[in-house]
Amino acid sequence: MTTDEARQRIDTLREQINRLNTNYYVLSQPIVSDYEYDVLMNELIKLEKDYPQFKDENSPTQRIGDDSNKEFEQAEHKYQMLSLGNTYSEGEVADFDNRVRKVVGNNVEYVCELKFDGTSISLTYINGRLTQAVTRGDGIRGDIVTANVRTIKCIPLTLNGQDYPEEFEIRGEIIMPRAVFDELNAEREDIGEAPFANPRNAASGTLKMQNSSQVAKRKLDSYLYYLLGEELPYNSHYENLMKAKEWGFKISENIRKCHNIKEIFEYINYWDKARENLPFDIDGVVIKVNSVEQQQALGFTAKNPRWAIAYKFKAEQVTTRLLSVSFQVGRTGAVTPVANLEPVQLAGTVVKRATLHNADQIKILDLHLNDAVYVEKGGEIIPKIVGVDISRRQFNSQPVEFITECPECGTHLVRFEGEAAHYCPNETGCPPQIKGRIEHFISRKAMNIGFAEATVDLLFTQGLVKDVSNIYQLKKAQLVRLERFAEKSAENLIKSINTSKQVPFQRVLFALGIRYVGETVAKRLAEHFQNIDNLAAASFEELVKAEEIGEIIAQSILKYFQDERNRTIVEKLKDAGLQFAIKENDFQPVSDKLKGLSIIISGVFENHSREELKQMIEQHGGKNVTSISKNTNYLLAGDKIGPSKLENAQKLGVPLLSEEDFIKMIQ
């Protein structure tokens, strides 16, 4: 590499890493894997070392990242909050052990801990009371998020006992359990919002919310793992944590003392497999020198402690070729790029497509058509491209360009300030948006009308259904003339449409597809305003008085009812006989026989729909959950139960409940 080439590569890497830092630390929207990020950072570190003439104090190698947010007040850390050095190989762990022994001798004991995949926090306690909670920020200063942290139930506000120091800090990780994450993403998808990429992303975004009452609803969790102060009870890291547990702090049960490198590797290898059974995400293992005295002897570099290292598990990754990029338009108008790949086996499934999220990721990855790309799943359900093998790039390959016009209707795309996505603003004339709203309206959780997606497409293409109100104008004679419709199927569809007229108001409101109005919000609005006319006439001030209704939701509701086309659709649906007011028994609890029980539903049932069963669970005081965890009390199982749900239930010892047994429970 020539000097000019080195300078050019250094500049490119700095620009890439700075953009990645903004996405990760500020926007809580990571778009490449930790491994890919570390590869870029290590390459930059090596180049800056080999070419010191290009040293720059503003290079990302001179900082540890910054999650500061100007909307929060900042505070300086009493003890600098550094990051850990990362490794992905056992050889580098052995090198770490050798470096430690050279300084402190062979009489060394390590503590191995799980590396929680969340967002870092530092808590200050004075006289046994929580006084301040601060994010890592840039390691020197961070955001004060005390009000939000006080909502996390596992973090003590006052301590047990009397033997704690007068003042000390304890650090740890704020996490979002997988079950909570699944519920949150289901709600976001209900309202047409992009789901969070992973629980870490969700935890970080939640901790930076301005409304602490909203933070409380996100059910964050936390594990603490590092005690700092002038008068700590013990001279060892492990014993200090065990004492902190007595004071009321949540300390992981999976901490282990290790006396040699063999025991460390056994711990790493065990958790590389066993992590799948945890109710939360971890991305590696942390190895720390136990003795506080030896930690002080080893000291720190500018960015990392020399007495600790993080071994990070590498997500399963494969290489394949990028054939093309297509662009999908959702019902909210958001345009999502999707990579079309040469089929490849990954984590037990054949992968043909991968998400690219947005234009920023395409730019950061510097994607070209026919590139050899790295694809991984990691902790995510949807595969994603995390890197490109530049050495295999074909001569004259064309870079991937994000489109400027909607691929469906040709409207010029817009990008709103502070958002990563591009949108098609043609809400009433863009076919995927119209069909998406219809599909949402008829979905099981909304009106539960027996359409298939192909039927929606057929009815739209034939001009029979141009908006949701047209559904209630369909006639059997129109349907039987269409391909795929026989006499019986036409009768069944008309019957399903007529049955939907009895769907309660809260589900009708959800079905309208008002942005940010998911199932839960629709229920709160129905309870508060009683009918659609009261809701449509409500002012901004009246809307935000309703439970769980913030400014963004209120503005969205106002915008919806200000549009004459939406008001016309609502009037037509009223005329069709839909329920636009709550009935006396809609929210009436029947009993508390299921109080305190969390129940998940899977399969097809003989006598009730899943929505009816969910309603029964709530009416009898129970709670519907969307994923199985050790806190799930029952799996209400029908025919054709999902195999993964059944396997998880058996693994966690969650009892199965038949439809018949469930009915007996509530009678």
Side-chain angles (χ1 to χ4, degrees):
M1 184 179 285
T2 66
T3 303
D4 285 344
E5 287 173 338
R7 177 59 194 252
Q8 188 175 357
R9 182 59 180 160
I10 286 171
D11 287 344
T12 298
L13 286 168
R14 285 172 178 167
E15 182 183 351
Q16 279 185 298
I17 293 169
N18 280 330
R19 283 203 302 268
L20 291 173
N21 280 342
T22 299
N23 273 80
Y24 184 103
Y25 293 107
V26 179
L27 302 179
S28 296
Q29 296 173 350
I31 55 176
V32 299
S33 68
D34 290 351
Y35 176 73
E36 182 70 15
Y37 178 89
D38 289 341
V39 167
L40 294 173
M41 181 63 83
N42 290 335
E43 182 185 354
L44 180 57
I45 290 170
K46 185 177 186 304
L47 284 172
E48 289 181 347
K49 184 178 179 181
D50 293 343
Y51 298 90
Q53 63 267 42
F54 301 134
K55 182 179 179 181
D56 186 343
E57 63 182 12
N58 291 320
S59 170
T61 61
Q62 304 305 304
R63 56 191 288 165
I64 62 170
D66 188 348
D67 68 0
S68 299
N69 185 320
K70 62 185 180 182
E71 294 177 346
F72 285 85
E73 185 182 347
Q74 273 84 46
E76 189 167 325
H77 293 295
K78 184 175 181 179
Y79 308 96
Q80 196 169 347
M81 203 168 178
L82 301 178
S83 60
L84 294 174
N86 291 329
T87 175
Y88 292 87
S89 75
E90 291 187 352
E92 290 178 322
V93 175
D95 290 342
F96 165 74
D97 177 51
N98 290 331
R99 290 195 301 271
V100 168
R101 292 178 187 276
K102 281 181 181 178
V103 176
V104 303
N106 288 325
N107 186 23
V108 61
E109 183 178 60
Y110 294 105
V111 177
C112 286
E113 306 170 5
L114 303 181
K115 187 176 184 299
F116 302 100
D117 198 11
T119 186
S120 301
I121 197 70
S122 182
L123 310 173
T124 299
Y125 285 79
I126 298 177
N127 296 323
R129 301 176 67 84
L130 175 64
T131 58
Q132 193 172 68
V134 183
T135 66
R136 190 184 69 166
D138 63 1
I140 298 171
R141 297 175 62 83
D143 292 335
I144 299 173
V145 289
T146 314
N148 287 347
V149 166
R150 287 183 189 278
T151 69
I152 303 173
K153 294 180 180 178
C154 66
I155 292 179
L157 304 182
T158 58
L159 302 183
N160 302 327
Q162 300 289 330
D163 56 347
Y164 40 76
E166 183 179 341
E167 180 177 349
F168 68 93
E169 284 186 33
I170 189 165
R171 291 176 178 170
E173 205 84 355
I174 306 293
I175 63 172
M176 180 173 284
R178 288 198 198 109
V180 176
F181 172 73
D182 290 342
E183 288 181 14
L184 175 61
N185 266 355
E187 289 175 8
R188 290 176 70 84
E189 288 170 354
D190 278 345
I191 61 176
E193 287 293 283
F196 283 113
N198 49 54
R200 173 187 60 194
N201 188 14
S204 175
T206 299
L207 198 61
K208 293 299 186 71
M209 294 173 76
Q210 291 292 310
N211 188 334
S212 61
S213 66
Q214 294 299 313
V215 176
K217 292 169 186 170
R218 293 280 182 92
K219 304 172 191 171
L220 294 175
D221 202 348
S222 177
Y223 282 92
L224 289 307
Y225 48 62
Y226 184 27
L227 208 61
L228 299 101
E230 307 300 324
E231 299 176 352
L232 299 183
Y234 297 103
N235 189 39
S236 77
H237 169 70
Y238 182 87
E239 278 70 25
N240 280 334
L241 288 183
M242 294 304 103
K243 177 55 72 173
K245 183 186 284 190
E246 294 177 16
W247 298 336
F249 291 109
K250 188 172 183 179
I251 310 296
S252 173
E253 299 289 337
N254 300 308
I255 297 175
R256 294 291 180 271
K257 288 184 186 178
C258 295
H259 301 88
N260 53 54
I261 197 72
K262 179 175 178 290
E263 292 181 3
I264 291 174
F265 290 155
E266 287 173 353
Y267 186 88
I268 288 172
N269 292 330
Y270 174 81
W271 282 109
D272 194 8
K273 297 180 179 64
R275 58 185 165 136
E276 295 179 3
N277 300 323
L278 292 168
F280 48 79
D281 284 352
I282 63 170
D283 61 351
V285 164
V286 177
I287 303 113
K288 300 175 182 174
V289 171
N290 191 26
S291 165
V292 175
E293 190 176 315
Q294 290 179 342
Q295 289 179 6
Q296 292 169 347
L298 288 159
F300 302 84
T301 68
K303 295 182 296 178
N304 316 117
R306 290 192 176 95
W307 45 266
I309 193 169
Y311 177 91
K312 300 190 79 170
F313 301 131
K314 191 173 177 182
E316 185 175 347
Q317 190 179 91
V318 293
T319 306
T320 188
R321 193 161 297 282
L322 173 66
L323 301 178
S324 63
V325 175
S326 53
F327 295 85
Q328 297 178 341
V329 184
R331 71 175 174 90
T332 63
V335 178
T336 304
V338 177
N340 302 303
L341 309 168
E342 277 188 0
V344 63
Q345 190 82 15
L346 174 64
T349 59
V350 175
V351 172
K352 298 178 182 178
R353 309 175 80 194
T355 180
L356 287 169
H357 295 298
N358 51 52
D360 289 344
Q361 188 185 22
I362 292 174
K363 186 176 181 181
I364 288 170
L365 292 170
D366 185 28
L367 276 180
H368 285 53
L369 294 176
N370 293 312
D371 269 349
V373 294
Y374 301 111
V375 183
E376 70 176 41
K377 279 189 178 179
E380 311 197 12
I381 298 169
I382 303 171
K384 68 175 182 177
I385 293 176
V386 296
V388 178
D389 186 348
I390 302 292
S391 67
R392 294 167 61 185
R393 177 167 287 168
Q394 297 177 358
F395 179 68
N396 286 337
S397 65
Q398 296 299 306
V400 175
E401 300 287 347
F402 201 93
I403 56 176
T404 57
E405 294 180 346
C406 175
E408 300 289 342
C409 69
T411 304
H412 190 78
L413 300 180
V414 297
R415 185 174 181 177
F416 301 115
E417 186 177 354
E419 294 203 28
H422 285 73
Y423 289 86
C424 170
N426 184 16
E427 294 179 11
T428 58
C430 183
Q433 294 188 61
I434 299 169
K435 288 190 284 186
R437 287 194 293 273
I438 296 169
E439 288 164 8
H440 171 75
F441 184 85
I442 66 172
S443 64
R444 181 172 48 82
K445 293 181 179 180
M447 303 306 293
N448 195 26
I449 299 174
F451 279 36
E453 190 174 319
T455 305
V456 172
D457 187 64
L458 177 64
L459 294 173
F460 179 81
T461 304
Q462 295 295 319
L464 294 175
V465 177
K466 296 179 181 178
D467 63 52
V468 297
S469 68
N470 297 147
I471 293 171
Y472 295 91
Q473 298 163 359
L474 289 171
K475 307 295 182 192
K476 178 182 170 182
Q478 294 174 306
L479 296 174
V480 293
R481 291 197 294 266
L482 300 176
E483 185 183 352
R484 296 176 57 249
F485 270 98
E487 191 91 10
K488 186 65 176 175
S489 57
E491 283 180 9
N492 288 339
L493 181 53
I494 296 298
K495 182 180 178 182
S496 180
I497 291 170
N498 288 330
T499 301
S500 75
K501 295 177 183 180
Q502 301 307 313
V503 165
F505 173 40
Q506 65 267 26
R507 279 174 53 193
V508 178
L509 185 55
F510 168 60
L512 292 178
I514 303 172
R515 197 172 186 194
Y516 306 120
V517 177
E519 279 186 281
T520 303
V521 170
K523 192 176 291 186
R524 298 290 176 265
L525 288 168
E527 287 176 314
H528 188 86
F529 290 100
Q530 303 286 301
N531 61 57
I532 195 73
D533 294 331
N534 290 342
L535 178 63
S539 66
F540 177 83
E541 291 73 19
E542 289 169 331
L543 286 166
V544 294
K545 287 179 182 177
E547 185 182 356
E548 295 191 28
I549 309 304
E551 294 182 5
I552 294 175
I553 297 174
Q555 293 287 7
S556 179
I557 294 168
L558 289 173
K559 181 182 176 185
Y560 180 87
F561 286 108
Q562 285 165 0
D563 190 320
E564 186 178 346
R565 290 165 299 195
N566 292 331
R567 294 199 304 272
T568 300
I569 288 172
V570 169
E571 288 303 317
K572 287 181 179 179
L573 292 174
K574 276 186 185 178
D575 293 341
L578 273 66
Q579 305 297 313
F580 277 105
I582 67 167
K583 294 180 180 177
E584 192 174 338
N585 60 349
D586 278 352
F587 300 103
Q588 196 77 24
V590 178
S591 78
D592 61 357
K593 291 182 178 180
L594 303 181
K595 186 176 181 180
L597 297 181
S598 294
I599 301 174
I600 185 169
I601 299 176
S602 183
V604 179
F605 298 88
E606 184 177 349
N607 299 311
H608 301 88
S609 71
R610 285 161 55 147
E611 289 309 311
E612 287 173 335
L613 291 170
K614 284 185 176 181
Q615 189 173 357
M616 289 181 196
I617 289 170
E618 291 187 358
Q619 286 176 335
H620 291 274
K623 178 183 178 184
N624 289 293
V625 294
T626 56
S627 61
I628 294 177
S629 72
K630 64 180 181 181
N631 296 320
T632 306
N633 298 102
Y634 291 104
L635 169 58
L636 179 48
D639 293 333
K640 300 178 182 177
I641 183 174
S644 61
K645 279 195 173 76
L646 183 59
E647 183 182 345
N648 286 337
Q650 291 169 341
K651 189 185 296 181
L652 295 171
V654 176
L656 270 60
L657 195 62
S658 69
E659 182 180 13
E660 183 181 356
D661 289 338
F662 172 73
I663 298 301
K664 287 178 182 176
M665 282 179 70
I666 61 176
Q667 282 176 345

